[in-house]
Amino acid sequence: MISDVVLDPVFDGDGIRLPGGDGLLPYAAPGGLLPATAVREADPDALPPEIRTRSGEIVFVSSVRRAEQERFCADHGIPLRSRPDVWGDLLEPFLDTEFDSRQRAATLDRLAAGVDATEAAAIRERVGPFMAAYNSVHQDWFHLGLADLLDAARSDLVPEELRIPPADLRTFRTWATELAARPDRRRPR
């Protein structure tokens, strides 16, 4: 296991063995097996690579497994899709980088297909405290996305009072994953 959010799975025959996981993963059968038939699509080029299930969950895969993920998808006829990185755009203000007004406007334009400026501001206000604390340790200047958000929501690197309470994590993950699907513009590779 790479982390509680980004997994180091084993692509095994007709399924994917998911080690450990974050305890919030409802899509794996007992023993941590995600059958190939439960996978809707995958994006090996996402940061980190993703597997999206038919029920709408997202499994984050270690980038060292990218080639295995692509081979598994090819073997099982699972489409590879690239989606807009909604959370990458939403979390841009928390990167250890400065953006000029033109760059900020471009980000809002990308988000506009699924998240308007008012909603983006509200989302950033909601997640801002724990994302700022999280990235004050990581000092990431390149990319923060959904996997980082889910990690930060309960990370020991974030003061406890800023974390999402354990009882609310599943609901938070569902909300965040649904936002990641907006807009649902799927672009075949």
Side-chain angles (χ1 to χ4, degrees), residues 22-27 52-53 55-58 60 87 126 146 149-150 153 164 166-182:
D22 63 7
L24 302 173
L25 307 178
Y27 42 76
R52 294 191 182 230
T53 68
S55 58
E57 291 92 2
I58 299 174
F60 298 102
W87 279 106
R126 178 179 181 185
L146 179 57
L149 176 81
L150 297 174
I164 302 297
D168 297 337
L169 282 170
R170 188 176 301 274
T171 301
F172 181 79
R173 184 183 182 109
T174 299
W175 169 76
T177 301
E178 287 171 356
L179 265 168
R182 279 199 259 162

Side-chain angles (χ1 to χ4, degrees), residues 25 32 66 72 115 127 144 168 184:
L25 307 178
R66 181 176 285 127
F72 181 85
V115 180
V127 303
L144 292 170
D168 297 337
D184 195 11

Side-chain angles (χ1 to χ4, degrees), residues 12-25:
D12 185 24
D14 289 335
I16 305 165
R17 294 217 173 273
L18 303 172
D22 63 7
L24 302 173
L25 307 178

Side-chain angles (χ1 to χ4, degrees), residues 8 10 26 30 32 40 44 52 65-66 72 77 97 101 104 113 117 122 125 130 151 157 166 174 181 184:
D8 190 16
V10 174
R40 181 180 69 210
R52 294 191 182 230
R65 300 285 179 230
R66 181 176 285 127
F72 181 85
T97 303
S101 60
R104 288 190 302 271
E125 186 175 324
F130 65 82
D151 190 33
L157 300 175
T174 299
D184 195 11

Side-chain angles (χ1 to χ4, degrees), residues 2-180:
I2 301 301
S3 77
D4 286 347
V5 176
V6 180
L7 303 177
D8 190 16
V10 174
F11 294 91
D12 185 24
D14 289 335
I16 305 165
R17 294 217 173 273
L18 303 172
D22 63 7
L24 302 173
L25 307 178
Y27 42 76
L33 183 67
L34 177 65
T37 56
V39 177
R40 181 180 69 210
E41 63 191 46
D43 185 355
D45 295 326
L47 296 172
E50 299 176 352
I51 294 170
R52 294 191 182 230
T53 68
R54 295 193 183 282
S55 58
E57 291 92 2
I58 299 174
V59 178
F60 298 102
V61 178
S62 168
S63 60
V64 299
R65 300 285 179 230
R66 181 176 285 127
E68 294 168 61
Q69 179 185 8
E70 288 177 330
R71 195 169 32 258
F72 181 85
C73 290
D75 290 349
H76 295 284
I78 297 168
L80 301 182
R81 305 267 188 227
S82 177
R83 292 174 173 262
D85 187 357
V86 173
W87 279 106
D89 287 331
L90 285 168
L91 299 177
E92 188 178 80
F94 308 106
L95 289 171
D96 195 17
T97 303
E98 291 197 28
F99 295 93
D100 63 30
S101 60
R102 185 179 50 77
Q103 292 166 314
R104 288 190 302 271
T107 298
L108 288 176
D109 284 345
R110 285 190 305 273
L111 283 170
V115 180
D116 66 31
T118 302
E119 185 180 17
I123 291 166
R124 288 170 172 164
E125 186 175 324
R126 178 179 181 185
V127 303
F130 65 82
M131 286 309 301
Y134 177 81
N135 207 37
S136 72
V137 174
H138 285 281
Q139 298 180 334
D140 197 322
W141 57 270
F142 174 68
H143 180 266
L144 292 170
L146 179 57
D148 298 293
L149 176 81
L150 297 174
D151 190 33
R154 62 204 203 125
S155 174
D156 290 341
L157 300 175
V158 173
E160 188 171 356
E161 66 273 8
L162 298 179
R163 293 181 221 152
I164 302 297
D168 297 337
L169 282 170
R170 188 176 301 274
T171 301
F172 181 79
R173 184 183 182 109
T174 299
W175 169 76
T177 301
E178 287 171 356
L179 265 168

